[in-house]
Amino acid sequence: MAAKCALITGSSSGIGKAIALKLANDGYDIGINYAHNKNAAQSVVTEVRNIGVAADIFQVDIGNIPELKDLFHAFLNVFGKIDLLVNNAGITRCRPFIDVNEELFDELCNTNFKSHYFLTQFAARNMIENKIHGNIINITSIHQQTAMPETSVYGSFKSAFAKFTHHAAVELAPYGIRVNAVAPGAINTSNDVNERAQYLASRVPMGRLGLPDEIASVVSFLVSDAASYINGANILVDGGILLPSYVDNLYTPRVVTDKMS
């Protein structure tokens, strides 16, 4: 039986890299997409191949919409089919709403939403044509559900991305294609221990930042047979950061001394 093939955008580092390595351990052949850092992408390819599956790299800045079709065709030329698309690539740009210009708006639209929309379309068409009961995974964000200062553009497109997940799930389900999303919270993608990382960790009820591997494990589950009846879900992986409206940094768990009779 031929191995399943996955294309993961933005997979030369961070969450995308962790997903690539996890899926490789699950037996997938892996397409690594990167925008600028070829050395990092090649390093991931080497790690994936050392696991014992096939891998190749594909350089495209997915924010360049005309090149998306070239990316997809290049992937098919190498692997011949697609069983799984992980829409992971994205950029963060923070700016006060009153200072946002059209250039920033278009950049975030193209990279964080429009590219995912049409890559999903390309992948779905190929799956349908080849009768592949595949999976699409969208990596969204907790910004889809909250409003933070200076993220009016970023948060809006993450919300649109999450909503698109629902629409694609409904329309592709009759073809046996499942579409789900994973929404990371504050994830430590570079082993940072700086002041900002420590502050973010203090705001999480679990008291720490998440790890890329913890996102990858959820992706692995969602595309497995164990999740065969999950479709259109958007799973928060945020350590509970969205649960309270305010987390008191001085809060410590109460020691329970009462005993049940």
Side-chain angles (χ1 to χ4, degrees):
M1 183 176 178
K4 291 185 176 182
C5 303
L7 172 60
I8 307 163
T9 64
S11 46
S12 62
S13 62
I15 290 173
K17 174 183 177 179
I19 293 171
L21 295 175
K22 178 62 176 174
L23 292 175
N25 277 297
D26 291 343
Y28 281 83
D29 291 339
I30 305 292
I32 303 296
N33 159 249
Y34 73 101
H36 306 294
N37 195 336
K38 182 176 181 178
N39 289 337
Q42 189 60 60
S43 177
V44 178
V45 167
T46 299
E47 289 187 63
V48 168
R49 288 175 177 169
N50 286 340
I51 292 171
V53 298
D56 209 337
I57 57 174
F58 304 92
Q59 192 279 322
V60 168
D61 179 350
I62 68 167
N64 188 333
I65 301 301
E67 294 184 7
L68 285 181
K69 189 170 290 186
D70 294 336
L71 165 64
F72 192 71
H73 287 161
F75 175 85
L76 291 181
N77 285 338
V78 172
F79 295 101
K81 63 168 184 167
I82 185 166
D83 298 278
L84 167 61
L85 170 65
V86 181
N87 288 309
N88 167 73
I91 55 174
T92 304
R93 300 282 187 270
C94 298
R95 189 175 298 179
F97 163 66
I98 59 173
D99 294 330
V100 170
N101 56 30
E102 191 173 359
E103 180 182 7
L104 182 144
F105 187 96
D106 289 345
E107 181 185 23
L108 286 174
C109 177
N110 288 342
T111 301
N112 291 1
F113 181 63
K114 189 174 182 179
S115 61
H116 306 316
Y117 187 102
F118 285 102
L119 264 181
T120 298
Q121 185 187 78
F122 298 155
R125 285 174 173 172
N126 186 268
M127 291 174 185
I128 293 168
E129 180 181 345
N130 293 285
K131 295 181 172 55
I132 292 172
H133 291 181
N135 281 276
I136 312 288
I137 298 292
N138 296 327
I139 306 299
T140 60
S141 167
I142 59 170
H143 282 266
Q144 71 197 24
Q145 293 182 224
T146 189
M148 299 180 188
E150 302 189 359
T151 61
S152 63
V153 183
Y154 180 80
S156 295
F157 284 121
K158 285 297 184 180
S159 295
F161 193 21
K163 178 62 174 171
F164 165 64
T165 300
H166 297 157
H167 286 283
V170 167
E171 294 199 33
L172 297 178
Y175 301 101
I177 300 169
R178 294 188 295 114
V179 186
N180 291 291
V182 179
I187 305 299
N188 191 343
T189 58
S190 58
N191 296 317
D192 283 337
V193 292
N194 59 30
E195 184 176 349
R196 174 167 172 74
Q198 293 175 11
Y199 170 76
L200 286 173
S202 75
R203 310 298 289 181
V204 180
M206 291 185 69
R208 66 173 178 87
L209 300 183
L211 301 174
D213 285 348
E214 292 175 307
I215 306 301
S217 292
V218 177
V219 172
S220 174
F221 166 69
L222 284 174
V223 302
S224 72
D225 290 341
S228 59
Y229 201 54
I230 298 177
N231 188 40
N234 196 318
I235 298 179
L236 287 172
V237 187
D238 68 348
I241 197 170
L242 291 184
L243 293 173
S245 58
Y246 175 74
V247 178
D248 186 343
N249 290 341
L250 300 179
Y251 172 80
T252 54
R254 180 174 65 88
V255 177
V256 178
T257 57
D258 297 338
K259 294 182 179 180
M260 294 182 64
S261 57

